[in-house]
């Protein structure tokens, strides 16, 4: 049972930033090689789910961890507010359309978990409805695993409230970050405790375990995500296809 | 627990063909009105799943039952052999993309059930895999119901082996039916008993009950499907939207 408030948002103090940074560089290279192998074999696929509060660094993690992968073998999908057409379907409809093809890496920047987070925090769905959705999510993710050999890695980008405020403020103060500013982020931030409760429930009720990533230091965030991803792919018995006679 | 061999494939003998035929006409009209209401309100949607052995009359039922509905409000999707892209995803991927938008009727001519029928009959998946798929189907259908107010009606078109042979022979003998002839249908027909076993299991393990429709007489097939459909839609508290001040 995970309690987010008991998990640090900063790296272990004994770690050296430069050493970790170099390790991440190596991991990025190994990841690119593994991706090439997966792409060539077209047997497995990888779904990476990035969730976290505003300014927790989902975009940055995507760039810094997966930036060495060939764009041919990776798709990134950011889930925003559903369109009218998406709202006219069940919540997993738009998600299912975007799951990875065999051989591909798919990164979800936000995901179906929003439908048991923001919707729940604001009371747009009942608690009973939220519970049903959590069960549907588990069934859906299991399906991707057993029926299409999809590896699912879920990362909760764990940011402190103070660091979030800092980051949001920077978006106002620094001109080259203005494009990221959204006044609604400040509104959402006021619901912090309720978000934490909903995240904890979603995480604790999930069949596939989550990785809680301390993200107050970006260098440690990138290292953690890269390490988990490389280790997961290295466990797969992947092989380059050989020529048939 | 349903045993298909104990259910007749012909209508009750006391029924009069002409009387039933007239009743079906009336049902078609009511169905068109209900469809209009559903389309205008955009709250509910209807998913009709037609399954049955080759020549059991899925195309005919679609035409004869839903032919009076406005094409704006109804889509028909026939699921054939999966494409290469579909095969590179889980079996529900192509199905989920085609579930109805709020306000719409969607007819599936064949469906996700093929993935626990033909694939199982030919041993392309293990029995354990088939069991997992049946559980996934139940979870998927429940999702459509609770999260998008989709009504799901599942019809098994129950044809006798003799009638099937007759129908397949007609496709060879009558020139205007040649286009329907497919030599593989004769091959599949040899697996009759195995298909019956797999159909029975799929039907009996389904959370949403199936309607078993005797189809040896087309006029009774159309009547049964139309009646179940109209009655299901009439239960919905649908209303034409009113102008807001």
């Amino acid at each position: 049972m995970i309690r987010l408030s008991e998990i640090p948002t900063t790296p272990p103090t004994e770690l050296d930033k430069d050493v970790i940074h170099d390790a991440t560089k190596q991991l990025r290279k190994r990841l690119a090689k593994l991706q090439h192998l997966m792409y060539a074999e077209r047997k497995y696929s990888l779904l990476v789910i990035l969730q976290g509060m505003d300014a927790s660094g989902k975009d940055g993690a995507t760039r810094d961890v997966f930036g060495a992968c060939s764009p041919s073998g990776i798709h990134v999908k950011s889930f925003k507010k559903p369109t009218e057409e998406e709202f006219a379907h069940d919540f997993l409809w738009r998600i299912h359309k975007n799951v990875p093809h065999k051989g591909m890496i798919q990164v979800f920047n936000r995901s179906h978990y929003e439908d048991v987070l923001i919707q729940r925090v604001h009371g747009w769905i009942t608690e009973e409805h939220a519970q049903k959705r959590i069960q549907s999510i588990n069934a859906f993710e299991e399906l991707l695993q057993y029926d299409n050999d999809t590896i699912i890695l879920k990362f909760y980008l764990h940011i402190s409230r103070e660091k979030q405020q800092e980051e949001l403020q920077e978006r106002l103060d620094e001109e080259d970050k203005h494009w990221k500013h959204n006044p609604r982020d400040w509104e959402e931030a006021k619901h912090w405790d309720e978000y934490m409760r909903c995240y904890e429930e979603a995480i604790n009720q999930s069949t596939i375990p989550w990785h809680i990533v301390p993200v107050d230091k970006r260098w440690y965030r990138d290292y953690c995500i890269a390490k988990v991803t490389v280790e997961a792919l290295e466990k797969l018995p992947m092989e380059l296809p050989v020529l048939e006679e």
Side-chain angles (χ1 to χ4, degrees), chain A:
Chain A
M1 177 93 159
I2 280 171
R3 284 258 155 260
L4 290 174
S5 57
E6 294 165 6
I7 300 176
T9 57
T10 49
T13 47
E14 69 275 16
L15 291 187
D16 179 80
K17 180 179 171 180
D18 292 337
V19 172
I20 293 299
H21 198 262
D22 284 347
T24 306
K25 260 193 189 167
Q26 296 306 315
L27 286 165
R28 278 165 56 98
K29 281 185 199 164
R30 275 159 68 193
L31 182 53
K33 280 188 184 156
L34 288 159
Q35 182 234 346
H36 174 71
L37 191 54
M38 195 165 75
Y39 184 75
E41 194 188 39
R42 301 208 171 223
K43 180 171 179 347
Y44 299 98
S45 58
L46 173 66
L47 174 60
V48 174
I49 297 175
L50 300 178
Q51 282 284 159
M53 298 295 283
D54 291 319
S56 60
K58 298 179 287 291
D59 281 313
T62 305
R63 180 191 61 227
D64 296 342
V65 176
F66 298 96
C69 293
S70 165
S72 302
I74 186 166
H75 287 307
V76 179
K77 172 74 184 169
S78 289
F79 289 98
K80 316 272 186 195
K81 188 185 167 200
T83 64
E84 203 175 321
E85 191 188 17
E86 289 167 351
F87 260 131
H89 290 90
D90 67 276
F91 80 105
L92 287 174
W93 183 74
R94 65 177 186 155
I95 306 295
H96 208 162
K97 284 207 283 189
N98 285 286
V99 297
H101 187 288
K102 278 181 185 293
M104 297 293 291
I105 295 180
Q106 176 74 51
V107 178
F108 282 177
N109 183 326
R110 303 191 186 274
S111 67
H112 40 298
Y113 282 94
E114 292 298 322
D115 297 288
V116 292
L117 291 164
I118 184 168
Q119 296 213 14
R120 199 174 181 190
V121 165
H122 291 283
W124 299 332
I125 54 168
T126 64
E127 284 297 296
E128 191 202 344
H129 198 144
Q131 289 303 326
K132 281 187 182 171
R133 282 188 171 174
I134 289 173
Q135 298 315 312
S136 292
I137 289 172
N138 283 335
F140 168 67
E141 291 177 351
E142 277 164 38
L143 166 70
L144 302 183
Q145 291 185 112
Y146 80 74
D147 207 56
N148 204 42
D149 294 320
T150 301
I151 311 305
I152 302 178
L153 297 176
K154 303 196 273 192
F155 297 99
Y156 171 69
L157 275 53
H158 190 32
I159 192 172
S160 65
R161 198 162 186 173
E162 298 67 38
K163 177 72 177 170
Q164 188 202 36
Q165 294 287 317
E166 247 176 62
E167 291 282 332
L168 292 180
Q169 190 59 44
E170 272 182 18
R171 292 177 179 183
L172 282 171
D173 299 342
E174 296 176 23
E175 205 172 335
D176 64 346
K177 291 189 178 174
H178 282 177
W179 68 278
K180 285 196 153 193
H181 168 68
N182 181 343
R184 275 193 322 191
D185 292 350
W186 292 90
E187 284 306 308
E188 286 305 314
K190 292 179 189 161
H191 299 284
W192 186 274
D193 293 338
E194 191 54 13
Y195 268 107
M196 289 305 111
R197 180 185 78 84
C198 292
Y199 261 115
E200 276 179 3
E201 274 210 31
I203 289 168
N204 285 317
Q205 292 185 52
S206 181
T207 316
I208 300 176
W210 281 78
H211 301 276
I212 313 298
V213 183
V215 299
D216 281 5
K217 299 291 176 198
R218 284 6 192 165
W219 53 269
Y220 190 60
R221 169 199 74 191
D222 296 340
Y223 171 76
C224 291
I225 296 175
K227 189 162 183 288
V228 167
T229 306
V230 165
E231 285 175 357
L233 295 185
E234 281 182 341
K235 270 189 213 149
L236 299 178
M238 293 193 285
E239 282 180 357
L240 279 177
V242 290
L243 275 187
E244 281 170 42
E245 287 307 306

